[in-house]
Amino acid sequence: MRELPGTRIAGYGALVRHDLRMNGMKIRSLLEGDAEAWWRIRLEALESEPLAFGKAAEEHRITPVETIAQRFRDVAEGNFHLGAFDGDALVGVATFIRETGLKERHKGRIYGVYVSAAYRGLDVGRGLLHELLERTKRDASLEQILLSVGSEQGAAKGLYSSFGFQVYGTEPRALKVGSTYVDEDHMILRLGELI
């Protein structure tokens, strides 16, 4: 797959290669029928990058595909699961969940961003994040987006920073994988501060 052309997206201060429809790539909301593909790519993520996610592969393996289908079927307003597809193959995912409490409804969180190893460096993650942010900024009541990322996950942190996310704190030993501890940086994007 060749390098995709980029354009500067107003408000993000980042070069975004957003036209992933070229070469058969597309980004769309995941539907009930995508549950099995999501289950497989999530397992791939947890097995290949155990230090990057809070859930263990062992926990995921016991989650039935029907549970995922139900999650996609019953998605609450303001929440969505995105998938990047190369033809019919799901090669990247990202999830946005809006807070529901009256005092927290002004914010949402990004979870589970992952791109299969063969598609890294092709701006699939950038395309997923761009689409996610485009959807969230349609809601004027949403003021900020939060995420957590392993402190040592340089590529992921660089991607988030390129969209304007800033570290506001670090949780030492947020995860423990075997005898290895993972610190997590908490990042924020204040939507009202976008140009």
Side-chain angles (χ1 to χ4, degrees):
M1 188 168 282
R2 65 182 174 83
E3 184 75 4
L4 302 174
T7 57
R8 194 161 294 280
I9 302 301
Y12 296 123
L15 183 65
V16 179
R17 287 163 175 75
H18 61 89
D19 190 6
L20 294 178
R21 292 184 186 275
M22 295 175 58
N23 298 323
M25 296 287 290
K26 63 182 175 181
I27 293 175
R28 65 168 173 80
S29 291
L30 295 173
L31 306 170
E32 182 179 351
D34 299 314
E36 186 174 343
W38 185 92
W39 191 95
R40 284 193 313 269
I41 197 171
R42 178 68 171 166
L43 182 60
E44 174 188 321
L46 299 175
E47 288 178 339
S48 65
E49 302 285 343
L51 302 179
F53 298 98
K55 188 166 216 157
E58 296 81 6
E59 294 170 305
H60 179 71
R61 282 190 198 97
I62 62 173
T63 304
V65 171
E66 177 51 38
T67 299
I68 308 307
Q70 179 84 26
R71 188 180 307 159
F72 292 167
R73 199 169 35 244
D74 298 337
V75 67
E77 184 178 344
N79 299 341
F80 52 88
H81 307 276
L82 293 178
F85 290 84
D86 184 5
D88 292 333
L90 181 60
V91 300
V93 292
T95 294
F96 178 78
I97 304 293
R98 182 74 181 262
E99 297 290 346
T100 57
L102 290 176
K103 295 181 179 181
E104 296 182 311
R105 184 104 178 103
H106 66 289
K107 61 187 176 181
R109 297 182 185 273
I110 296 174
Y111 294 101
V113 177
Y114 177 76
V115 174
S116 291
Y119 289 85
R120 292 180 193 162
L122 299 175
D123 286 326
V124 175
R126 185 170 297 283
L128 281 164
L129 205 53
H130 169 70
E131 178 63 23
L132 186 149
L133 293 174
E134 282 297 309
R135 290 180 184 212
T136 59
K137 68 182 197 180
R138 294 176 195 153
D139 183 349
S141 70
L142 183 64
E143 298 176 21
Q144 58 193 41
I145 301 174
L146 307 167
L147 60 84
S148 296
V149 59
S151 298
E152 300 299 317
Q153 297 287 323
K157 282 176 54 177
L159 174 64
Y160 300 135
S161 294
S162 75
F163 280 93
F165 283 86
Q166 297 176 332
V167 174
Y168 68 89
T170 301
E171 180 183 353
R173 295 183 167 203
L175 303 175
K176 184 177 181 183
V177 183
S179 61
T180 302
Y181 291 97
V182 178
D183 296 348
E184 282 190 339
D185 289 339
H186 300 289
M187 301 183 81
I188 185 169
L189 176 66
R190 291 182 177 89
L191 297 177
E193 296 177 4
L194 293 177
I195 300 170

